[in-house]
């Protein structure tokens, strides 16, 4: 547990998320180029066939009134799109699509787990409940991240140890460091980070 904790607190989320975005972009490019290379020629084939069918159905529409039902049906069949030939996938197509889906899920899975790891490490860092935020992120992903962010915003961070403290606290409950002090002149409550007193303007 301590080993995992040590590794997680050392993680660099910015670098990690940049790498993940890079992976996603490379995946999209490969998927796009691969799809065009593999199915591009067939798409133009489909377009051509659709064009032919549209043209003939226009002609048919004009002849429709004159022709008998039976003849008409036969006529239509000749110009229907040969979907079976175009849509039927070969083994290599299945392998290609399968690989794309697999890589997509792998990237998504790594992203999902990485976000959870980030939330857990951040929770440890600020002294929040890593279990609650970790599980929430594992189930809801970004909603969990938003909850942790909100939780941090609703607290003060101790300037010495970095743990979250209630807004009312004057001293850190973890290390005892002062978070708020009283102004010697006007007795206003001032954060130790402030340069000037917000009650009287005294330089702290
Ligand atoms: Zn502290
Ligand atoms: Zn003051």
């Amino acid at each position: 547990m301590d080993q995992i904790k040590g590794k997680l607190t050392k993680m660099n989320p910015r670098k990690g998320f940049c790498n993940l975005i890079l992976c996603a972009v490379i995946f999209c490019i490969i998927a796009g180029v691969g799809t065009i290379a593999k199915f591009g020629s067939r798409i133009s084939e489909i377009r051509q066939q659709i064009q032919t069918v549209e043209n003939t159905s226009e002609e048919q529409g004009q002849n429709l009134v004159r022709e008998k039902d039976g003849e008409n049906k036969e006529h239509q069949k000749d110009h229907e799109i040969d979907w079976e030939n175009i849509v039927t996938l070969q083994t290599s197509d299945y392998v290609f699509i399968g690989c794309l889906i697999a890589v997509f899920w792998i990237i998504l899975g790594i992203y999902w787990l990485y976000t959870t790891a980030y939330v857990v490490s951040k929770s440890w860092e600020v002294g929040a409940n890593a279990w609650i935020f970790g599980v929430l992120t594992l189930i809801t992903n970004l909603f969990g991240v938003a909850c942790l962010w909100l939780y941090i915003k609703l607290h003060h961070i101790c300037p010495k140890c970095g743990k979250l403290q209630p807004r009312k606290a004057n001293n850190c409950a973890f290390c005892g460091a002062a978070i708020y002090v009283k102004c010697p002149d006007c007795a206003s409550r001032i954060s130790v980070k402030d340069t000037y007193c917000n009650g009287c303007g005294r330089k702290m």
Side-chain angles (χ1 to χ4, degrees):
M1 194 66 183
D2 282 341
Q3 263 188 336
I4 301 169
K5 211 168 175 171
K7 268 184 190 166
L8 275 182
T9 41
K10 269 183 217 153
M11 75 192 260
N12 182 348
R14 188 171 291 182
K15 198 180 158 198
F17 282 115
C18 280
N19 285 342
L20 272 171
I21 291 170
L22 192 69
C23 283
V25 169
I26 292 171
F27 168 74
C28 287
I29 292 170
I30 291 173
V33 171
T35 307
I36 291 167
K38 225 164 168 20
F39 304 107
S41 58
R42 266 179 272 182
I43 287 168
S44 57
E45 232 173 86
I46 293 170
R47 262 197 206 139
Q48 265 179 1
Q49 290 222 25
I50 290 172
Q51 197 69 47
T52 327
V53 170
E54 272 174 5
N55 289 343
T56 44
S57 55
E58 261 173 43
E59 283 168 30
Q60 272 178 359
Q62 287 162 359
N63 298 334
L64 201 70
V65 196
R66 280 169 257 163
E67 280 178 16
K68 282 178 194 169
D69 278 353
E71 281 173 55
N72 199 28
K73 266 176 196 165
E74 260 176 44
H75 197 70
Q76 256 180 350
K77 259 185 188 170
D78 291 343
H79 297 283
E80 258 176 14
I81 302 172
D82 191 7
W83 287 112
E84 280 199 3
N85 238 343
I86 297 164
V87 179
T88 301
L89 297 171
Q90 297 147 7
T91 321
S92 68
D93 298 337
Y94 281 116
V95 171
F96 175 72
I97 294 168
C99 283
L100 282 189
I101 293 169
V103 173
F104 170 79
W105 280 107
I106 288 169
I107 292 177
L108 188 71
I110 292 172
Y111 156 77
W112 206 273
L113 291 176
Y114 191 81
T115 317
T116 308
Y118 165 69
V119 164
V120 168
S121 79
K122 191 76 188 166
S123 302
W124 274 330
E125 190 190 314
V126 297
N129 192 323
W131 274 106
I132 291 178
F133 290 110
V135 170
L136 195 65
T137 309
L138 197 60
I139 299 166
T140 63
N141 197 254
L142 286 179
F143 180 71
V145 180
C147 284
L148 180 65
W149 180 81
L150 194 69
Y151 185 76
I152 291 172
K153 284 285 160 206
L154 290 173
H155 285 74
H156 276 302
I157 293 175
C158 167
K160 198 179 167 195
C161 71
K163 297 273 196 280
L164 291 179
Q165 297 299 312
R167 286 202 166 252
K168 280 189 245 165
N170 288 328
N171 287 80
C172 173
F174 286 90
C175 69
I179 301 168
Y180 279 100
V181 288
K182 263 188 183 176
C183 171
D185 284 356
C186 70
S188 294
R189 191 170 175 251
I190 315 149
S191 163
V192 290
K193 288 180 195 162
D194 290 348
T195 321
Y196 294 96
C197 167
N198 55 15
C200 65
R202 182 190 201 272
K203 196 173 195 302
M204 299 305 289

